Amino acid sequence: MVTTPETSVAARARYEAVIGLEVHVQLLTATKIFCSCSTRFGNPPNTNVCPVCLGLPGALPVLNRKAVEFAALAAMALNCQVNATSIFARKNYFYPDLPKGYQISQYDKPLAEHGAIEIPVQGGAKKIGITRVHLEEDAGKSLHEGFADSVDTTAIDLNRSGVALIEIVSEPDIASPEEAYEYLIRLKEIILYTGVSDCNMEEGSLRCDANVSVRARGQREFGTKTEVKNVNSFRFIREALEYEIERQKGVLESGGQITQETRLYNSNEGKTYNMRSKEQAHDYRYFPEPDLLPLIIDEKRQAEIRRSLPELPEARRKRMVADYGITEYDAQVLTFSKALADQFEAAAKAAKNPKRVANLVQSELMGRLKAKGCEIEQSPISMKGVALSADLVESGVISGKMLKDLYDLSFAREKDFPDVYEEEGRPEQSRDTSALEQTIDEILAAHPRQVEQFRAGKTAVIGFFVGQVMRASKRQANPQLVNELLTRKLGG
Ligand code: ADP
Ligand code: MG
Ligand code: ZN
């Protein structure tokens, strides 16, 4: 049967996608999870190593207390239940960057379970379940680069071997690449707020594997999944999923079957490729790690850890909308990072009118930042600076126009608003009305016909006079004041 493009579109619409994500996050502990080696990124290869993380015979792991605390904190932030007892397990496989021949991870008794993240979807929010959060050690890194005499050499850097990781496994609750993207954005934001990781994808501190299958709409059973590994940006994960879903639909539509396999995404081509199939899949032969005791995090310890849980972004946005009378969009921008939100709140609390502070961020700061191509965190004008400028306008010391000019100077000089305000000699908008009144008198005298019109009831003509006065003052006059004076004089 020949399918026209139309029928193939209709046929494809009969399928829906099912997605589950596995995210690895490196914890910001100063030392590794089972030894005291440094976790510093970028040190010369194989300098942050010792018998434990090199996997030398007889070396014994000692669990890093901070790693446990960070992992539990992240799990709590992800609404998980932390298990009082969890068990480390050996996950056995061979790979050149895994010197012991096994990775210490957790298997049937993980650190935490039953969590969820809320993501925004059209017309509301959707809960994506989190199956588990467990602790494990990172592997080393294979460097496939040209070295000295050979271009084909692979070298091993074990600096990363033994760095503390958490793995966050989602339920297969994600229904589209867009939802997967939102989930990752929220997940990263929450982890960043807890401060347990820098989630730097370029440095590999956050890595994601995406599992995806398709099934006929309304079908209960899941289809066979494939796993796309090692994708290094959220955008590429979304693209890889889009490609993979269409590929799977195509296979099913043409009467084929999906093989369970691991695939790699080539972002230049926008396509995924087979890496290994289920037949070559690992049997990890998990068994409890004999060199480590069960991990106990009792209620008392859990309560201690929970105390350092910060207010999380979603809750914070809701509160900020209520506290400062700002819009949800404002709150979204202002919670870009925890540091920024902290700065904003400190500044807004100290300012005369918090809403004006938020408005200035939106109306004056964001556009200039965008034009400069930088994020709000690199803004030359700090939240404190925005607050000062807001107060100056609020109390009528400077005009809106003057504020704009001062912001332009701040950006040109890469200096904060208070510094530029000082440098400019603390400018004030004129409150001496005599000069302004003289200008107005002159303008009224020069336009007797418009004055007649106004007095005959055509009051809209005042706009013409405001324009004339503003032009004469080179836009330095306070428009409100101009309006008042004009009304008085024209009325008289
Ligand atoms: P595996 O043992 O192959 O690693 P898991 O059951 O541990 O599989 O699940 C790994 C991830 O894949 C989880 O995030 C889970 O939600 C997701 N997942 C499981 N089955 C499917 C499926 N049929 N389609 C899409 N995702 C799935
Ligand atoms: Mg898996
Ligand atoms: Zn070590």
Side-chain angles (χ1 to χ4, degrees), residues 22 167 211 225 227 229:
E22 295 166 280
E167 179 173 345
N211 300 271
K225 73 174 158 78
E227 181 173 5
K229 266 200 178 318

Side-chain angles (χ1 to χ4, degrees), residues 385-448:
V386 177
L388 171 67
S389 70
D391 279 358
L392 290 170
V393 174
E394 189 74 20
S395 53
V397 175
I398 64 171
S399 65
K401 169 73 171 83
M402 288 166 75
L403 176 135
K404 284 179 202 283
D405 292 344
L406 289 165
Y407 271 42
D408 285 342
L409 288 177
S410 278
F411 272 75
R413 296 179 192 166
E414 302 254 344
K415 284 183 176 164
D416 203 351
F417 181 89
D419 302 326
V420 170
Y421 182 62
E422 288 300 324
E423 284 175 7
E424 292 302 293
R426 299 171 153 265
E428 288 187 15
Q429 66 182 338
S430 171
R431 275 187 278 211
D432 171 11
T433 57
S434 61
L436 193 55
E437 286 191 66
Q438 194 186 334
T439 309
I440 289 173
D441 289 340
E442 282 165 19
I443 286 168
L444 292 185
H447 299 92

Side-chain angles (χ1 to χ4, degrees), residues 54 82 108 146 168 170 173 251 275 300 311 377 398 468:
L54 287 174
V82 173
D108 48 3
I168 302 156
S170 88
D173 290 345
V251 170
M275 180 173 130
K300 186 163 157 276
E311 183 182 25
E377 298 222 289
I398 64 171
Q468 294 289 316

